[in-house]
Amino acid sequence: MNPELWDIRIVLNISYNGLPYYLKSCFLYLSIFPEDYEISRKRLVRRWTAEGYSRGLWDKSAEDIADSYFFELLDRSMMLPTQKADYSSKGADSCKVHDIMREIAISNSKEENLVLRLDGSYRSHSQVTVRHLVITNDSREADEGELESTVDMSRVRSLTVFGYWRPFFISDKMKFLRVLDSEGADGVYDHHIKQIGKLIHLKYLSLRGCEKIAFLPDSLGNLRQLETLDIRQTGIIRLPKTIINLRKLNYLRAGERNSAYALTSNKLCSLTLVWSLFRAILVDKVSNVDENMNTVYAACTTFWCIALPSIAMDLNSLGVVAPRGLRRLSALHTLGVVHIAHDSSSVLRDIKKLTQLRKLRVTGIDEENSQKFFSTLSALINLESLSVSSEGALGLEGCLDADDMFSDLRSLKLYGSLVELPNWIQQLRNLVKLKLDGTLLKDCKDAIQVLGKLPNLAILYLASLWFEDGELHFLEESFPTLMVLDLDFGARKDVTFDKGAVQKLELLLLSSCGLKFLPSIKEVRLKGLDYRFNDKEDADRWKEDFLAQLSQNPKKPFLNVRGTF
């Protein structure tokens, strides 16, 4: 090793040795993730909590304490924040670990038999006892016997899989497994998780991004210790009835299916899928029989279990249908995305009883169920974050009419045509983060004036607004606390700032604007210049003008250009 790097490593080792005991385990846990991997704060914090790395106090939950551990490690430079922190009111949504720090974490976790990483071959002269097993599998060929001869499965408390999944990764011997995380793993099918109910000590289960999964088994109801269930970006459109048995579940995220799902949710694409299925069975000659059967199984599952039910129930790609009795999950503090258009009376009555909810995301709101929805919200006294998506061509128009709205909301996201802002939005005095996407506001000038008076708004995202005169104007003394502004219009629009507007703005993401009167701006990101201009010369000319504006700004903000010619 380079002598200078060796000296740096010695200094960083001293930093590790100086960590308090409760942070050492959290730091070594980072060695689970691959090199240069962007680690989600929420994912990490919830895993730490499931592992028992934090304990709740009388005024703070275990998750809140684990969250403080995350930021303490950041403050000590044991890990680095990433750019995903732009939209977090807490300051960081994810992190990465520097190569040298990661080497320190890996070496120390090996010494303590804490983490074992298996890459490719599993061969070992003796069976290893570890708490956390990580499998990075880039090949579909893996040997079950070699894996079990390498690792004492009875001692494993967490299993994390990156790459290609094999069904024998879950062993009957894993009787005390607490964390099962296969986020983004390929090749996970319904039948691979059929016996998951045997893992009765499981506290954290993530199948996020496992697109071929269409069902959760009824045995899920046996996981009485489960606290976190993340099934986003899977093919699951309906939660099993047995989910209401999970009385300790406090975090449930579902829906948010990808564009591939959206393609199967119309009749033409479904017919195309039938033809592909026919070819897979009768025409194509695939040398690997198992691979061919998986292809057939995936096609059948996608068509019969995802596409057809979605068409029949007229579901969008965002939400899932919840069973009756959801109210029994009284520990829930995070829930979404729930489709409330189907059996809306029942599902809204259930949600109304979930008084510990802090974060709620729903889709399927319409004029018929909107009043019941607002009645439900009035009972959720702890709600801090709300996300609402519309159904149909009318969008949110006429769906957000209410006389009053509780003022404790800190985050609000509205997806769909609004035409005009709801009257109650000006009552949200504690609102920190606001996202309006596809709202098509007619009177943008009045809307900006209303939003500019919100006293605590720090993050604002505006997309697909409607402009009368092609200009968005920020008035003097408006948005006094705004720090992040993201303007995504899909076409070139002029944005101007009066002197004294958005005085605390640090990050601006947009297509065009004037920067002269932004005294606190630190960074400007330009997005999608390739589709906002007809040719490269126009884009270059505009970019030169923009750089001239930057040079006149006293802060000399950094320019980050994305989507250029």
Side-chain angles (χ1 to χ4, degrees):
M1 180 183 285
N2 185 306
E4 292 183 0
L5 291 179
W6 181 254
D7 291 341
I8 292 173
R9 178 160 183 161
I10 291 175
V11 173
L12 294 178
N13 258 316
I14 294 174
S15 298
Y16 164 72
N17 291 326
L19 289 175
Y21 73 93
Y22 61 87
L23 285 184
K24 280 187 177 179
S25 296
C26 293
F27 173 72
L28 296 182
Y29 202 80
L30 298 175
S31 64
I32 286 175
F33 300 93
E35 185 177 2
D36 294 326
Y37 191 87
E38 193 167 279
I39 309 170
S40 162
R41 172 177 59 85
K42 293 179 181 178
R43 180 185 184 184
L44 187 59
V45 164
R46 297 206 61 76
R47 287 189 55 150
W48 282 344
T49 304
E51 300 283 5
Y53 287 0
S54 63
R55 293 283 188 272
L57 300 176
W58 68 274
D59 60 340
K60 283 188 177 182
S61 67
E63 186 177 345
D64 290 336
I65 292 173
D67 208 42
S68 70
Y69 293 170
F70 178 91
F71 288 103
E72 193 169 346
L73 286 174
L74 281 181
D75 291 340
R76 292 171 177 265
S77 298
M78 304 301 288
M79 55 191 191
L80 305 172
T82 62
Q83 288 187 345
K84 262 192 174 179
D86 298 343
Y87 302 106
S88 173
S89 58
K90 291 193 173 183
D93 271 345
S94 58
C95 69
K96 283 187 177 181
V97 183
H98 190 277
D99 291 348
I100 298 179
M101 297 303 299
R102 184 170 178 270
E103 289 176 7
I104 293 173
I106 289 174
S107 61
N108 281 279
S109 63
K110 280 184 178 179
E111 288 179 9
E112 298 185 21
N113 290 328
L114 190 68
V115 178
L116 176 64
R117 298 183 55 85
L118 296 179
D119 305 304
S121 176
Y122 309 140
R123 294 180 183 176
S124 176
H125 295 295
S126 60
Q127 196 176 58
V128 180
T129 300
V130 291
R131 288 185 62 87
H132 309 300
L133 176 61
V134 185
I135 301 177
T136 303
N137 183 35
D138 296 326
S139 171
R140 302 187 181 207
E141 297 180 1
D143 188 281
E144 180 176 4
E146 285 187 3
L147 178 61
E148 296 208 357
S149 65
T150 301
V151 184
D152 182 358
M153 294 295 192
S154 66
R155 301 294 183 91
V156 174
R157 297 296 182 268
S158 78
L159 171 63
T160 309
V161 178
F162 300 99
Y164 196 79
W165 174 273
R166 300 295 292 163
F168 58 78
F169 288 166
I170 299 180
S171 169
D172 290 338
K173 298 177 181 178
M174 293 179 171
K175 295 181 179 180
F176 299 101
L177 194 71
R178 291 182 177 180
V179 172
L180 176 56
D181 191 343
S182 62
E183 180 173 325
D186 190 21
V188 188
Y189 295 90
D190 296 333
H191 57 284
H192 293 163
I193 59 171
K194 191 174 182 180
Q195 304 301 321
I196 202 168
K198 294 181 178 180
L199 304 175
I200 59 174
H201 294 283
L202 207 61
K203 291 188 174 184
Y204 179 103
L205 173 60
S206 177
L207 302 170
R208 182 179 181 179
C210 299
E211 301 172 353
K212 298 178 179 66
I213 294 180
F215 288 107
L216 286 175
D218 288 338
S219 65
L220 181 80
N222 297 333
L223 305 181
R224 303 301 176 97
Q225 304 301 315
L226 196 65
E227 299 172 350
T228 296
L229 177 61
D230 192 343
I231 52 172
R232 284 175 288 177
Q233 298 158 17
T234 65
I236 297 168
I237 62 175
R238 185 186 291 275
L239 299 175
K241 293 180 180 179
T242 56
I243 198 171
I244 64 175
N245 295 329
L246 309 182
R247 304 299 181 85
K248 293 187 177 182
L249 192 66
N250 55 49
Y251 183 93
L252 172 56
R253 296 295 302 273
E256 302 178 33
R257 290 173 286 278
N258 63 17
S259 57
Y261 161 85
L263 287 176
T264 65
S265 296
N266 66 69
K267 296 176 183 178
L268 179 60
C269 290
S270 296
L271 290 174
T272 304
L273 189 60
V274 172
W275 169 244
S276 301
L277 178 60
F278 173 77
R279 289 195 58 187
I281 298 175
L282 300 178
V283 181
D284 290 345
K285 295 181 179 180
V286 181
S287 57
N288 189 326
V289 176
D290 290 336
E291 183 176 339
N292 192 29
M293 290 307 297
N294 279 338
T295 302
V296 172
Y297 183 87
C300 288
T301 299
T302 303
F303 181 72
W304 294 109
C305 303
I306 303 177
L308 284 186
S310 298
I311 294 171
M313 293 188 289
D314 193 25
L315 294 177
N316 62 16
S317 62
L318 284 177
V320 294
V321 176
R324 294 190 177 191
L326 204 64
R327 66 182 66 189
R328 296 173 67 180
L329 304 181
S330 57
L332 272 181
H333 64 63
T334 299
L335 174 63
V337 180
V338 176
H339 203 293
I340 64 172
H342 296 271
D343 197 10
S344 59
S345 296
S346 175
V347 68
L348 289 175
R349 282 197 301 268
D350 281 337
I351 294 176
K352 193 172 185 177
K353 297 294 184 180
L354 301 176
T355 55
Q356 298 302 312
L357 275 182
R358 299 201 300 266
K359 297 182 180 181
L360 174 65
R361 185 172 182 184
V362 301
T363 186
I365 188 171
D366 53 36
E367 289 192 57
E368 292 183 8
N369 60 34
S370 60
Q371 292 305 311
K372 293 179 181 178
F373 175 65
F374 277 96
S375 174
T376 295
L377 292 182
S378 66
L380 304 180
I381 57 176
N382 292 303
L383 196 65
E384 298 177 353
S385 177
L386 175 64
S387 174
V388 181
S389 303
S390 61
E391 287 282 293
L394 291 178
L396 293 172
E397 185 177 358
C399 299
L400 300 181
D401 298 333
D403 296 330
D404 196 13
M405 172 66 82
F406 45 87
S407 58
D408 291 334
L409 274 184
R410 293 177 55 82
S411 174
L412 175 64
K413 300 176 184 178
L414 301 177
Y415 301 85
S417 176
L418 273 174
V419 180
E420 61 183 12
L421 286 178
N423 293 329
W424 47 261
I425 206 166
Q426 56 192 322
Q427 302 173 17
L428 305 180
R429 313 299 290 176
N430 295 317
L431 197 66
V432 174
K433 180 178 180 180
L434 175 63
K435 181 173 184 177
L436 302 178
D437 194 347
T439 48
L440 301 176
L441 295 172
K442 283 188 176 180
D443 196 338
C444 194
K445 181 179 178 181
D446 285 351
I448 291 298
Q449 289 183 9
V450 170
L451 298 180
K453 295 178 182 178
L454 295 175
N456 291 296
L457 192 63
I459 301 170
L460 177 61
Y461 175 92
L462 301 175
S464 302
L465 297 181
W466 190 87
F467 292 82
E468 266 186 357
D469 54 5
E471 181 179 274
L472 187 63
H473 189 194
F474 289 80
L475 298 176
E476 181 181 358
E477 296 184 358
S478 63
F479 298 95
T481 56
L482 197 66
M483 300 180 70
V484 178
L485 176 60
D486 190 340
L487 304 175
D488 188 359
F489 305 133
R492 186 177 178 184
K493 301 291 183 181
D494 291 326
V495 183
T496 58
F497 297 89
D498 284 350
K499 186 175 182 179
V502 290
Q503 286 286 290
K504 294 185 178 181
L505 190 68
E506 296 183 0
L507 175 62
L508 183 62
L509 302 93
L510 79 171
S511 57
S512 61
C513 82
L515 300 175
K516 186 177 180 180
F517 300 119
L518 298 178
S520 298
I521 195 73
K522 295 179 180 179
E523 181 180 352
V524 178
R525 295 185 196 166
L526 303 179
K527 304 182 295 180
L529 294 187
D530 49 356
Y531 62 81
R532 300 179 192 275
F533 293 91
N534 294 326
D535 55 50
K536 187 177 184 300
E537 290 184 3
D538 287 343
D540 289 342
R541 192 180 305 112
W542 182 88
K543 185 179 174 182
E544 288 179 9
D545 293 340
F546 198 86
L547 286 170
Q549 291 188 56
L550 286 179
S551 65
Q552 297 174 11
N553 190 287
K555 272 284 188 178
K556 307 296 181 188
F558 172 71
L559 178 63
N560 187 338
V561 181
R562 299 178 181 179
T564 57
F565 283 89

